[in-house]
């Protein structure tokens, strides 16, 4: 079957399917013309990947599991431990947010140094707060790509208007400009 059929059966985008192939989690056979030819086993593998990813299992762990270097029990126990750590972090963040809510009436009067110190203490104890560098840099990259696409579209649109193959009005306008 083609990638579109595998995509529909597994409920995973073709982009993700290709990514999982690049990561070595999936090796579909190739037809004579070079197209990927997915089997029912490949779809089953994709569904397993989807299930494990829904639990937040890292790709490296899925890879070890598929290679037989880890068992399902080990994989799920690691994930359970990670979820427990996340839950403890969320509880500590929630407690801090409740304290802030009780003590801060406005953003203008908030003692940011005190609260940042509190967060730093919790981080030293193992609480995971949002990594601003990771989140903001990722957002910046995304926005940069979007802005780049917008500039490209505007440039292409501008070129199309100036192109000798464009509309007659544009060509007439360009000819008038050139004469001046």
């Amino acid at each position: 079957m083609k990638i579109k059929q595998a995509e529909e059966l597994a409920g995973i985008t073709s982009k993700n399917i290709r990514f999982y192939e690049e990561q070595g989690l999936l090796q579909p056979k190739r037809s004579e013309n070079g197209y990927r030819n997915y089997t029912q086993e490949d779809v089953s593998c994709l569904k397993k990947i989807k299930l494990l990813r829904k639990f937040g299992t890292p790709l490296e762990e899925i890879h070890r599991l598929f290679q037989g270097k880890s068992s399902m029990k080990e994989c799920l126990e690691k994930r359970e431990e990670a979820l427990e750590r996340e839950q403890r972090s969320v509880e500590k963040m929630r407690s801090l947010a409740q304290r802030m809510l009780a003590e801060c009436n406005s953003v203008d009067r908030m003692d940011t140094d005190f609260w940042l110190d509190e967060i730093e203490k919790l981080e030293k104890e193992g609480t995971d707060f949002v990594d601003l560098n990771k989140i903001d840099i990722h957002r910046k990259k995304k926005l940069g790509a979007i802005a780049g696409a917008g500039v490209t579209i505007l440039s292409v649109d501008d070129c199309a208007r100036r192109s000798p193959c464009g509309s007659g009005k544009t060509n007439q306008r360009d000819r008038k400009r050139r004469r001046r």
Side-chain angles (χ1 to χ4, degrees):
M1 73 182 81
K2 302 276 188 253
I3 196 166
K4 197 72 176 161
Q5 292 168 303
E7 177 182 36
E8 290 172 9
L9 290 172
I12 296 176
T13 66
S14 57
K15 185 176 181 177
N16 279 12
I17 293 171
R18 288 186 193 98
F19 174 74
Y20 296 143
E21 183 182 348
E22 288 171 14
Q23 298 302 306
L25 295 172
L26 185 70
Q27 291 92 28
K29 292 186 170 81
R30 299 272 182 165
S31 61
E32 289 177 18
N33 60 6
Y35 288 121
R36 294 170 180 88
N37 189 18
Y38 295 91
T39 63
Q40 198 57 47
E41 286 121 26
D42 292 325
V43 171
S44 176
C45 179
L46 287 166
K47 286 181 178 181
K48 290 173 187 174
I49 294 169
K50 180 180 179 180
L51 173 65
L52 292 166
R53 292 297 290 146
K54 290 271 189 182
F55 271 105
T57 306
L59 290 173
E60 299 79 23
E61 185 63 29
I62 296 171
H63 206 275
R64 283 192 294 274
L65 185 63
F66 284 3
Q67 291 177 331
K69 295 179 180 177
S70 178
S71 70
M72 190 66 180
K73 183 179 190 265
E74 291 170 327
C75 177
L76 291 176
E77 284 174 347
K78 282 182 186 177
R79 191 61 199 133
E80 186 177 20
E81 288 171 14
L83 289 169
E84 286 172 0
R85 276 192 309 275
E86 289 172 25
Q87 186 174 9
R88 285 191 299 272
S89 288
V90 167
E91 286 300 321
K92 287 181 180 181
M93 283 189 271
R94 184 171 182 243
S95 175
L96 185 64
Q98 288 172 340
R99 284 179 47 209
M100 286 179 70
L101 184 61
E103 296 178 28
C104 298
N105 294 344
S106 80
V107 73
D108 295 335
R109 294 188 203 154
M110 183 171 40
D111 184 355
T112 53
D113 291 330
F114 171 79
W115 293 110
L116 288 171
D117 286 343
E118 290 294 302
I119 287 173
E120 194 172 316
K121 287 177 195 172
L122 289 172
E123 286 177 326
K124 286 180 182 175
E125 294 171 7
T127 302
D128 290 325
F129 283 85
V130 173
D131 183 351
L132 296 180
N133 292 327
K134 194 174 185 180
I135 298 294
D136 290 347
I137 300 254
H138 179 70
R139 182 170 288 136
K140 181 180 177 182
K141 285 180 185 176
K142 242 184 189 176
L143 290 173
I146 291 168
V151 168
T152 302
I153 290 169
L154 291 173
S155 297
V156 168
D157 186 45
D158 189 45
C159 287
R161 276 187 263 152
R162 294 177 187 206
S163 168
C165 299
S167 69
K169 290 180 183 177
T170 305
N171 287 336
Q172 288 172 358
R173 187 174 54 228
D174 285 345
R175 283 187 207 117
K176 285 179 184 176
R177 281 188 202 148
R178 286 184 203 138
R179 284 185 216 151
R180 292 180 198 165

